[in-house]
Amino acid sequence: MLNKVTLIGRLGADPEVRYMPSGDAITTIRLATSRRWKDRNSGERKEETEWHRVVFFAGLAKVAGEYLKKGSQVYVEGRIRTNKWQGQDGQDRYTTEIIADEMHMLDSRSGGTANYADNAPPLSTYDNHGAGSSSASSAASSSASAPAAFDDFDDDIPF
Amino acid sequence: MLNKVTLIGRLGADPEVRYMPSGDAITTIRLATSRRWKDRNSGERKEETEWHRVVFFAGLAKVAGEYLKKGSQVYVEGRIRTNKWQGQDGQDRYTTEIIADEMHMLDSRSGGTANYADNAPPLSTYDNHGAGSSSASSAASSSASAPAAFDDFDDDIPF
Amino acid sequence: MLNKVTLIGRLGADPEVRYMPSGDAITTIRLATSRRWKDRNSGERKEETEWHRVVFFAGLAKVAGEYLKKGSQVYVEGRIRTNKWQGQDGQDRYTTEIIADEMHMLDSRSGGTANYADNAPPLSTYDNHGAGSSSASSAASSSASAPAAFDDFDDDIPF
Amino acid sequence: MLNKVTLIGRLGADPEVRYMPSGDAITTIRLATSRRWKDRNSGERKEETEWHRVVFFAGLAKVAGEYLKKGSQVYVEGRIRTNKWQGQDGQDRYTTEIIADEMHMLDSRSGGTANYADNAPPLSTYDNHGAGSSSASSAASSSASAPAAFDDFDDDIPF
DNA sequence: TTTT
DNA sequence: TTTT
């Protein structure tokens, strides 16, 4: 079965980074996508903004936490997950989020936040495909300098 | 900005069809997508099922309501929309759904529910791209026989 | 059946715009996507650039021809089409191209070519879904000023 | 940059499987996707079939070679690659293919070819994300029995 | 609640 | 031929 989401939008705030006991990072962002259309009857232009909670794990979480900022434009690919939890009143609540497995920063060169380009890695795509928790741990414990981000590059089939 | 979802899954129940005052249909389905993986540490196979609420409007709603059944396998493309509403306790609640704009029945000929193939249209893709509410209304008021479904075919660029 | 391509890349040259007898524009771009990975055996970083021929029709062709430039970063969605033709030697040749039905300029505000932002429309998505040649013609004959680009906005379902 | 293709279609012939000196399989299929639309001017229904050459490597190649048959319906995700080669006349030729990194068999239960269901694995998604050539080799040398196919399941992040 |  |  397929459960795939692709988003291009901007962060409404800086990323939030938390850490697991294992040392793995978990980064969460709020991403806005807006849709514009012209009402066929009234002819009015309309706009609607949708906010998405996007969660990154392991190596992706590190890169997202380090390089994304409020206002950054980003491409995200992942899957929908809805979590069930209980409110204080004992009632079921649901929260839907996007579990990201691919991320691509779209603010080229001077783009985005002022000092963004200072430590940005070359524009490229990061992903989590096939990453297990063990290798993720080792990635998470590697150096936080910019080149370390490249540890997450996809080892691909060399044909 | 981009907000796109693609799902391939099976219906957990027959579609629910409601009608607007204008006569337009609104069809809702519950779609299951499951994900299987092997835990890298324990080696165990795991499986997780995600349930999606998918909503179809206008011409798509008609086709979905007519041809999809509990257990049908379907491809859906659309966008994420989260609705905010108030519970009886006055607290904010959120419901996330997929607003479909393309649908593709995957139960081929002999496939799916027993008597499914009897009145199924040729395997094809239906979509709502660019459909305004007025044209949608006229589609909704057209005959309910199988060929009518074709009214929703995308008029495409003839090059 | 589904035949969908999504690309994010940069133009290798300015767009080429041609016109049909009907007045409709046809715009073609060459789009580079590059893939980077680290070879698992040698540990070397590798990079491979793929060039795509992307074709826009009707209203999309106008917007693409007007606002895209060499070096622009763009999101394109469309379908694969392979054309068969005959070389001078009488042998069959094949050319594969992407017929775009959605386009999204990713060079934000300050981004892209120097004077790009001067006449750029608000960042948004253009599409051709469901556009027939007749409506396309009328779009093509509308004024070429920036606001005209909005004529191509998707009329969407107002629920 | 992003270069992504998603196809749902049917095989025009049985898969072709070749083997690398390393023992890795390479499987190629011809996949048809068809598009139907109604001409807005003439009102005629039209149909166009596009044929795609899809190539699978490593573990995916094994599964594709074993379980797909002429007529099978399949979901494929991958990237576009155009190869340049020289005809006998010394002229450059180009061949475009889809390098698959995910595959999903859509013929449920009784679907597709007669004896398909006999040895089919549970309906699921196979992928090559992040597979390097070394791990691919070991997968290729594992047993060819049905359960072996599960070796290719995505080890995913266990949150 | 589907399906394999 | 783009870009980092």
Side-chain angles (χ1 to χ4, degrees):
Chain A
M1 330 301 259
L2 182 73
N3 170 359
K4 178 156 312 213
V5 177
T6 49
L7 304 173
I8 295 177
R10 291 190 182 276
L11 279 76
D14 285 343
E16 287 180 27
V17 186
R18 291 174 298 134
Y19 292 90
M20 302 285 283
S22 66
D24 283 350
I26 299 182
T27 297
T28 303
I29 62 172
R30 294 281 291 165
L31 194 68
T33 59
S34 52
R35 195 168 64 92
R36 298 187 183 93
W37 72 99
K38 199 159 64 175
D39 187 274
R40 193 166 279 186
N41 296 317
S42 69
E44 291 173 278
R45 280 178 203 159
K46 304 213 171 178
E47 170 159 359
E48 212 175 66
T49 296
E50 190 73 38
W51 287 95
H52 310 268
R53 177 185 161 86
V54 179
V55 185
F56 302 91
F57 292 108
L60 260 189
K62 279 195 58 198
V63 178
E66 230 170 298
Y67 296 109
L68 298 179
K69 298 280 170 272
K70 176 176 175 173
S72 297
Q73 191 179 206
V74 71
Y75 168 90
V76 166
E77 191 176 316
R79 64 178 204 273
I80 297 177
R81 186 177 69 179
T82 297
N83 299 309
K84 186 180 180 177
W85 50 286
Q86 294 223 341
Q88 296 185 333
D89 55 5
Q91 301 247 323
D92 288 342
R93 304 290 177 84
Y94 299 88
T95 303
T96 296
E97 56 197 17
I98 309 305
I99 307 300
D101 54 33
E102 201 168 318
M103 193 261 294
H104 182 160
M105 293 176 280
L106 298 174
D107 293 314
S108 47
R109 298 161 279 182
S110 61
T113 307
N115 57 353
Y116 171 74
D118 298 345
N119 60 350
L123 200 60
S124 45
T125 297
Y126 303 90
D127 78 48
N128 254 348
H129 289 302
S133 56
S134 49
S135 67
S137 294
S138 63
S141 59
S142 69
S143 143
S145 68
F150 290 96
D151 293 338
D152 302 305
F153 275 178
D154 200 16
D155 269 47
D156 225 300
I157 298 174
F159 313 107
Chain B
M1 329 303 259
L2 182 74
N3 169 359
K4 180 156 308 211
V5 177
T6 48
L7 304 172
I8 296 177
R10 290 188 183 276
L11 279 76
D14 284 343
E16 287 180 27
V17 185
R18 290 174 299 134
Y19 292 91
M20 302 285 285
S22 67
D24 284 349
I26 299 181
T27 298
T28 304
I29 62 172
R30 294 282 290 165
L31 195 67
T33 59
S34 52
R35 196 168 63 93
R36 299 187 185 93
W37 73 97
K38 199 159 62 175
D39 186 274
R40 194 166 276 185
N41 296 317
S42 70
E44 290 173 279
R45 279 177 206 162
K46 303 213 168 178
E47 170 160 357
E48 212 174 66
T49 295
E50 190 72 38
W51 288 95
H52 310 268
R53 175 184 163 85
V54 179
V55 184
F56 302 91
F57 292 108
L60 261 189
K62 279 195 58 197
V63 178
E66 230 169 299
Y67 295 109
L68 297 180
K69 297 279 170 272
K70 177 176 176 173
S72 297
Q73 191 178 206
V74 70
Y75 169 90
V76 166
E77 191 176 318
R79 65 176 203 273
I80 298 178
R81 186 177 69 179
T82 297
N83 299 308
K84 185 179 180 176
W85 50 287
Q86 295 223 340
Q88 297 185 331
D89 54 6
Q91 301 247 322
D92 289 341
R93 304 290 176 83
Y94 298 88
T95 303
T96 296
E97 56 197 17
I98 310 306
I99 308 300
D101 54 33
E102 201 169 318
M103 193 260 296
H104 182 157
M105 291 176 281
L106 298 173
D107 292 314
S108 46
R109 297 157 266 187
S110 60
T113 308
N115 56 353
Y116 171 76
D118 298 346
N119 59 350
L123 198 60
S124 46
T125 297
Y126 303 90
D127 78 50
N128 254 350
H129 290 300
S133 56
S134 51
S135 69
S137 294
S138 64
S141 60
S142 69
S143 142
S145 68
F150 290 97
D151 291 339
D152 302 306
F153 275 178
D154 199 16
D155 268 47
D156 225 300
I157 297 177
F159 313 107
Chain C
M1 329 304 258
L2 181 74
N3 170 359
K4 179 154 311 210
V5 177
T6 49
L7 304 172
I8 295 177
R10 290 190 183 274
L11 279 76
D14 284 343
E16 286 180 28
V17 185
R18 291 174 297 137
Y19 292 90
M20 301 286 284
S22 67
D24 284 348
I26 299 182
T27 298
T28 304
I29 63 172
R30 294 283 290 164
L31 196 67
T33 58
S34 52
R35 195 168 65 93
R36 299 187 184 93
W37 73 99
K38 200 159 64 176
D39 187 274
R40 194 167 277 184
N41 296 317
S42 69
E44 291 173 279
R45 279 176 205 162
K46 305 214 170 177
E47 170 160 358
E48 212 174 66
T49 295
E50 191 72 37
W51 287 96
H52 309 269
R53 175 184 162 84
V54 179
V55 185
F56 301 91
F57 292 108
L60 259 189
K62 279 195 60 198
V63 178
E66 229 169 300
Y67 295 110
L68 298 179
K69 298 278 168 275
K70 175 175 175 174
S72 297
Q73 190 178 206
V74 70
Y75 169 90
V76 166
E77 190 175 319
R79 63 177 205 273
I80 298 176
R81 186 178 68 180
T82 297
N83 300 309
K84 186 180 181 177
W85 49 285
Q86 294 222 341
Q88 296 185 333
D89 55 5
Q91 300 246 322
D92 289 342
R93 304 292 175 85
Y94 299 89
T95 303
T96 296
E97 57 197 16
I98 310 305
I99 308 300
D101 54 33
E102 200 168 318
M103 193 259 296
H104 182 157
M105 292 176 280
L106 298 175
D107 292 315
S108 46
R109 299 157 261 186
S110 60
T113 308
N115 57 354
Y116 171 74
D118 298 345
N119 61 350
L123 198 62
S124 45
T125 296
Y126 303 89
D127 78 50
N128 254 350
H129 288 302
S133 56
S134 50
S135 67
S137 294
S138 62
S141 60
S142 68
S143 142
S145 67
F150 291 96
D151 292 338
D152 302 304
F153 275 177
D154 199 16
D155 268 46
D156 225 301
I157 297 174
F159 314 106
Chain D
M1 329 304 259
L2 181 75
N3 170 358
K4 179 156 311 210
V5 178
T6 48
L7 304 171
I8 296 177
R10 290 190 183 275
L11 279 75
D14 284 344
E16 286 180 28
V17 185
R18 291 173 299 134
Y19 292 90
M20 302 284 285
S22 66
D24 283 349
I26 298 181
T27 297
T28 302
I29 62 172
R30 294 282 291 165
L31 194 67
T33 59
S34 53
R35 194 167 67 92
R36 298 186 185 94
W37 72 99
K38 198 159 63 175
D39 187 275
R40 193 166 279 185
N41 296 318
S42 69
E44 290 173 278
R45 279 178 204 159
K46 304 214 169 177
E47 172 161 356
E48 212 174 66
T49 296
E50 190 72 38
W51 288 96
H52 309 268
R53 175 183 162 85
V54 179
V55 185
F56 302 90
F57 293 108
L60 261 190
K62 281 194 58 197
V63 178
E66 229 168 301
Y67 296 110
L68 297 179
K69 298 279 171 274
K70 176 177 176 173
S72 297
Q73 191 180 206
V74 71
Y75 168 90
V76 166
E77 191 176 317
R79 64 177 203 273
I80 297 177
R81 187 176 69 179
T82 297
N83 299 308
K84 186 180 180 176
W85 50 286
Q86 294 223 340
Q88 296 184 334
D89 55 5
Q91 300 246 323
D92 289 341
R93 304 291 177 85
Y94 298 89
T95 303
T96 296
E97 56 197 18
I98 310 305
I99 308 300
D101 54 33
E102 201 169 317
M103 193 260 295
H104 182 157
M105 291 176 281
L106 298 174
D107 293 315
S108 47
R109 297 158 283 181
S110 60
T113 307
N115 57 353
Y116 171 74
D118 298 346
N119 60 349
L123 198 59
S124 45
T125 296
Y126 303 90
D127 78 50
N128 255 349
H129 289 300
S133 57
S134 49
S135 69
S137 294
S138 62
S141 60
S142 69
S143 143
S145 68
F150 291 97
D151 292 340
D152 301 306
F153 274 179
D154 200 15
D155 268 48
D156 224 301
I157 298 176
F159 312 106

